[in-house]
Amino acid sequence: MALTELQCSNFKALGKDYTKPDKDGLSLLIRAKGTKSWLCEFVSQGLRIKYNYGKYPDISLAAARRLHVVARELAAFGRLPAEVLDNKEAARLVAEGGSLSEAEKYIRDNTSELAKRERMTFAEAAGRYKVEWVDRRWKDPEKGFYPARVHLIPALGAFALDDVSATIMRGLLIDIRGRVGEQAALHTLGWARRIYDYAMEHEWCVTNPARAIKAERVGNKSKRERWLKTQEIRRYLAHLYQVDCYRGYKLALHLLLMLALRKNELCGAAWSEFDLSAAEWTIPAKRMKTKKEHVVFLPSQAVEMFQDLQRMGGGSPWVLPMLTNPKRAMNGNRLNGAHLAALLSADIEDYNIHDHRHTASTHLRNQGFSPEVIETALSHAIGGMAGTYSHADYKAQRLSMLQSWADFLDTTMNENVVLSATFRKVA
């Protein structure tokens, strides 16, 4: 049975999301807290169409049905609802009884009006978005903006914003996927959406072509699985210690690989957390991603390296103090330059600092260590019944495992077994 306006207004919150269908793929979504919105979901010509028309009662049942008719018309021509309905004024026109042709005429007319004055290019819009939003809000704006700077601006920069169609955008993403991979294409799509959303908010354009492209058409999101093979570890460490930079950065990156730590866990460490005589480091819960205190049992190489850092710190309370202000801890992003320089010199691609944890975990599993011991050392939650009932810290096993891993890293520097002190003193 089709919905009535009275039913729509009377649907109550039930503590969980639920939907009430109307007809032809239109339904009303009632959220757990009681807010309501109109959803469309149907299949046309083998293409699954999903779209959110907006909130009820801002959009009435009758208005939602009119929007839905236009969405189905678009789908019949192989087009997505977003191509027209993402334009707020065109959507309002349809909701009030206008036809698809009237909505498209409105968009064309407004685009023509924009054409009569100087139109903003994609490069200009991207630049303003970065300065006005990304630089102020993002923790690492240069790193985050990389997909826009490398993939979007060179290809689309000279285009006026409204001259970039969904077809052009889709072609660019397919090209990126073929050359660089799915993840790069997905990141690029995300940045295109952000830039266009910002441009529409400031009325620099009337449509967002990136919103007409579904992420699943571009690729599948997946967790990173990059790790270094033994030969790559050898090259990474050898080249790391030859990089022309502050020695503390080199020791920090080596420690992150040796101890399989997160970058912020090391870069925010204070000497008050350490008992080097007992070879233990207790990271307080407030600094852990899991919000649980974590004890790191240090192999002998790590103890030596921390002692080296303590001498270099000149009495600072921080393990890795700022070079310009030893009273403050160093920002972990300071390690990025040394890491990238080592990768470039060692000819290693697509490997970030956090991937050190993947490298350690993968090698330790291949070397036969218990998954529970490895996951505990990584400060990961242990799944299943083992995680529910076990509160063991595996101290002896973890220390033995990390000592074995540190020794293994020492042997990778060249074909012969060498002492860690030998190569750590290089550069």
Side-chain angles (χ1 to χ4, degrees), residues 168-234:
I168 292 174
M169 185 70 71
R170 188 180 296 109
L172 173 61
L173 294 170
I174 291 172
D175 175 66
I176 294 168
R177 183 178 65 189
R179 289 186 295 105
V180 191
E182 289 187 359
Q183 298 309 304
L186 284 169
H187 285 309
T188 303
L189 173 60
W191 278 98
R193 287 177 175 177
R194 293 186 193 102
I195 291 167
Y196 265 99
D197 282 345
Y198 194 76
M200 290 185 67
E201 179 184 343
H202 289 78
E203 299 182 347
W204 302 333
C205 61
V206 295
T207 59
N208 183 342
R211 289 288 174 192
I213 301 171
K214 299 295 183 183
E216 54 264 33
R217 309 284 183 208
V218 177
N220 296 314
K221 293 183 178 180
S222 61
K223 293 184 177 180
R224 286 184 61 82
E225 297 180 353
R226 181 69 167 98
W227 54 280
L228 296 181
K229 297 178 181 179
T230 302
Q231 289 287 349
E232 291 178 308
I233 294 175
R234 175 179 293 117

Side-chain angles (χ1 to χ4, degrees), residues 381-401:
I382 298 175
M385 298 301 290
T388 301
Y389 291 106
S390 175
H391 301 283
D393 62 8
Y394 302 106
K395 176 178 179 178
Q397 297 96 319
R398 285 164 60 189
L399 179 56
S400 174
M401 179 182 72

Side-chain angles (χ1 to χ4, degrees), residues 321-339:
M322 288 179 59
L323 297 181
T324 55
N325 184 1
K327 294 182 179 180
R328 295 181 59 186
M330 181 187 75
N331 186 313
N333 291 330
R334 289 287 183 181
L335 300 180
N336 294 345
H339 176 73

Side-chain angles (χ1 to χ4, degrees), residues 89-192:
E89 287 302 313
R92 180 188 60 78
L93 182 65
V94 170
E96 293 176 356
S99 65
L100 172 59
S101 60
E102 289 172 321
E104 292 189 308
K105 181 178 183 300
Y106 172 85
I107 293 174
R108 286 195 303 272
D109 290 346
N110 277 267
T111 301
S112 297
E113 286 299 315
L114 283 171
K116 293 175 184 177
R117 57 182 186 248
E118 185 178 355
R119 293 190 292 170
M120 183 174 289
T121 66
F122 181 88
E124 291 169 334
R128 288 192 58 175
Y129 175 62
K130 182 177 184 299
V131 171
E132 296 169 8
W133 185 261
V134 178
D135 288 348
R136 296 181 180 180
R137 302 290 182 130
W138 284 60
K139 184 176 180 180
D140 190 347
E142 296 303 323
K143 180 180 179 181
F145 199 67
Y146 179 86
R149 184 174 61 254
V150 172
H151 300 305
L152 288 172
I153 294 175
L156 305 178
F159 282 82
L161 286 167
D162 282 311
D163 286 347
V164 179
S165 65
T167 301
I168 292 174
M169 185 70 71
R170 188 180 296 109
L172 173 61
L173 294 170
I174 291 172
D175 175 66
I176 294 168
R177 183 178 65 189
R179 289 186 295 105
V180 191
E182 289 187 359
Q183 298 309 304
L186 284 169
H187 285 309
T188 303
L189 173 60
W191 278 98

